[in-house]
């Protein structure tokens, strides 16, 4: 036991020492990343805020007051959330969990796993589908010549996805034993992002399924479709706002390039949302037949390519007098008029996206401030270590028996002094770097951040 403890102590000590000597390069790397991210996200937020302020002068001031009031008192209405009652995946998951609890109490449901219930199995399968879809999107946007770091991140993502799918499949075969045969047929050396998960909607005609599994997937996908539709509307509104701002106010190559890049990133999200909605809709169509669902396509119609357009954009080739609004902008419920509902959707989507952009800008501003404080404390720590070890060596009386102890103490003090000098050298220009660019804090005469002069965005 004593040898084992000594070995563990040695490993822990080695790890901690490597962490200490790596503080300099690690913080420098974080400073470079934080400075670039701060400039990008603050510029994006300021551009979005200016665009909204030109068309809705009082909205930005009201949103700012609302979000600052919520940050001071979290009992107020959350400006990041939609106040309307809408179907969400989390609400459906809660409903399914409560139903399973009642069925379990009545002896009408059997669990084949200690921790994973039938509804949780389907929920996790849908989450894995989202991970596969996200990974495919990242790979598609890599470009022709990805860097080694990009390829490494892709491979790490594939490894994580592979492990999660394999663990999920072990539980799936407890509830759906027939999938083992189907899985054997489709086995291959393909990457995990294209693996078939054999959810109930995919194997309706292959094996016999309990109706509860079909119902679970139907309800979860229905909620998912509403959430994706909200996301699509939000991104279309932001894209329209960015186009309007670009044509009216953006001039110069630098501004045009940044604006084009922002619009391109939003267009990628629009395409992703539309593709995801169509995939979810296809699953709902397959599940609706055995479940005998009727009338659901009135609230969730088929999304054609022509339907994915902005609020003020008509079908291609139509004149303004014949222009119609895409069905995605029409309120499915409520007694408000269509025009009123559309305005509410527009204001709500813009407000939520504005709040999120503001939060991202603040997150990287705060990261830069924290990194500066971490660097200051790191230098103070090394100086404290130098002084402590020097004091230990000086406190030992110069004698033959203390020579080794004094040498060890002075050596430790020298190594800490070297770390101090190294960090001071590689961090020499960090303060100037963080004081440049969009969102940089105002430095007071004393050298610290002037909180009164640096007002939040």
């Amino acid at each position: 036991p004593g040898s084992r403890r000594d070995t563990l102590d040695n490993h822990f000590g080695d790890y901690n020492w490597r962490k200490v000597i790596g503080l300099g390069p690690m913080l420098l790397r974080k400073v470079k990343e934080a400075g670039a991210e701060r400039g990008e996200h603050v510029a994006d937020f300021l551009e979005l805020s200016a665009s909204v302020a030109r068309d809705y002068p009082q909205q930005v001031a009201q949103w700012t007051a609302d979000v600052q009031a919520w940050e001071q008192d979290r009992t107020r209405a959350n400006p990041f959330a939609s106040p309307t009652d809408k179907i969400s995946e989390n609400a459906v998951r809660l409903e399914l969990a409560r139903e399973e609890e009642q069925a379990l109490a009545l002896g009408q449901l059997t669990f084949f796993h200690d921790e994973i219930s039938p509804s949780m199995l389907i929920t996790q399968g849908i989450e894995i589908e989202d991970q596969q879809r996200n990974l495919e999107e990242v790979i598609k946007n890599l470009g022709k010549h990805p860097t080694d770091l990009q390829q490494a991140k892709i491979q790490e993502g594939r490894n994580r996805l592979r492990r999660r799918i394999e663990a999920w499949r072990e539980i799936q075969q407890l509830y759906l034993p027939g999938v083992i045969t189907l899985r054997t047929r489709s086995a291959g050396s393909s990457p995990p992002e294209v693996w078939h998960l054999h959810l109930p909607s995919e194997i309706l005609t292959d094996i016999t399924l309990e109706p509860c599994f079909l119902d679970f997937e139907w309800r979860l996908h229905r909620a998912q479709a509403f959430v994706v539709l909200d996301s699509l509307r939000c991104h279309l509104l932001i894209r329209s706002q960015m186009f309007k701002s670009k044509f009216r106010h953006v001039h110069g190559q630098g501004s045009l390039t940044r604006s084009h890049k922002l619009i391109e990133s939003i267009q990628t999200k629009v395409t992703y949302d539309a593709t995801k909605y169509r995939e979810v809709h296809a699953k709902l169509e397959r599940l609706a037949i055995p479940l005998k669902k009727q009338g659901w396509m009135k609230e969730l119609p088929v999304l054609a390519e022509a339907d994915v357009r902005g609020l003020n954009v008509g079908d291609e080739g139509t004149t303004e007098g014949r222009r119609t609004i895409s069905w995605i902008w029409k309120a499915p419920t409520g007694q408000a008029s269509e025009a009123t509902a559309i305005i509410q959707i527009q204001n709500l989507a813009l407000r939520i996206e504005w709040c999120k952009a503001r939060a991202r800008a603040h997150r990287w501003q705060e990261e830069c401030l924290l990194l500066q404080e971490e660097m200051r404390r790191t230098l103070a720590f090394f100086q404290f270590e130098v002084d402590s070890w020097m004091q230990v060596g000086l406190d030992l009386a110069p004698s033959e028996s203390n020579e080794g102890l004094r040498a060890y103490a002075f050596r430790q003090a020298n190594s800490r002094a070297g770390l101090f000098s190294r960090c001071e050298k590689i961090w020499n220009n960090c303060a100037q770097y963080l004081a440049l660019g969009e969102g940089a804090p105002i430095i007071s005469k004393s050298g610290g951040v002037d909180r009164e002069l640096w007002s939040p965005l």
Side-chain angles (χ1 to χ4, degrees), residues 236-237 240 309-313 323-325 329 342-343 346:
L236 284 171
L237 280 171
S240 299
R309 62 180 190 268
L311 184 59
N312 299 320
V313 181
R323 180 172 63 84
T324 58
I325 298 174
W329 300 106
I342 289 173
I343 293 173
Q346 181 177 2

Side-chain angles (χ1 to χ4, degrees), residues 37-84:
E37 292 288 345
R38 183 191 63 189
E40 180 179 352
H41 287 286
V42 170
D44 289 347
F45 168 73
L46 293 176
E47 184 174 351
L48 174 61
S49 190
S51 173
V52 174
R54 293 185 189 107
D55 296 323
Y56 310 98
Q58 298 178 354
Q59 285 283 28
V60 172
Q62 181 62 45
W63 293 344
T64 303
D66 291 342
V67 73
Q68 288 179 349
W70 178 76
E71 288 171 347
Q72 296 296 326
D73 182 8
R74 295 301 174 94
T75 60
R76 291 174 175 265
N78 186 357
F80 290 85
S82 170
T84 57

Side-chain angles (χ1 to χ4, degrees), residues 59 89 108 172 201 253 265 300 384 392 394 421 445:
Q59 285 283 28
E89 294 172 270
Q108 300 173 350
Q172 183 192 29
S201 58
Q253 184 175 356
S265 66
L300 294 171
F384 170 78
V392 169
L394 294 173
S421 301
K445 295 180 179 179

Side-chain angles (χ1 to χ4, degrees), residues 126 129-130 133 201 204 217-218 220-229 232 272-289 293 295-304 307 327-328:
I126 293 175
E129 273 189 334
D130 283 340
R133 195 179 292 112
S201 58
L204 283 170
E217 187 176 0
W218 163 269
L220 288 166
H221 276 316
R222 181 171 174 269
Q224 190 179 35
F226 281 108
V227 173
V228 174
L229 200 56
L232 176 61
Y272 175 84
D273 289 338
T275 303
K276 184 176 179 179
Y277 178 86
R278 294 187 183 109
E279 292 177 1
V280 173
H281 193 277
K283 292 178 181 292
L284 288 173
E285 283 188 283
R286 290 196 292 268
L287 291 167
I289 299 174
K293 299 288 184 179
W296 65 275
M297 291 191 70
K298 293 181 180 179
E299 59 182 4
L300 294 171
V302 175
L303 183 66
D307 295 326
W327 66 263
I328 64 177

Side-chain angles (χ1 to χ4, degrees), residues 166-202:
E166 290 174 350
W168 180 80
R169 280 179 167 179
E170 291 181 3
I171 303 171
Q172 183 192 29
Q173 64 190 23
L174 298 177
Y175 289 100
L176 305 172
V179 300
I180 301 177
T181 306
L182 301 175
R183 201 180 297 157
T184 304
R185 294 177 193 169
S186 61
S189 57
S190 55
E193 64 268 18
V194 298
W195 285 1
H196 291 288
L197 299 181
H198 300 105
L199 286 168
S201 58
E202 302 175 22

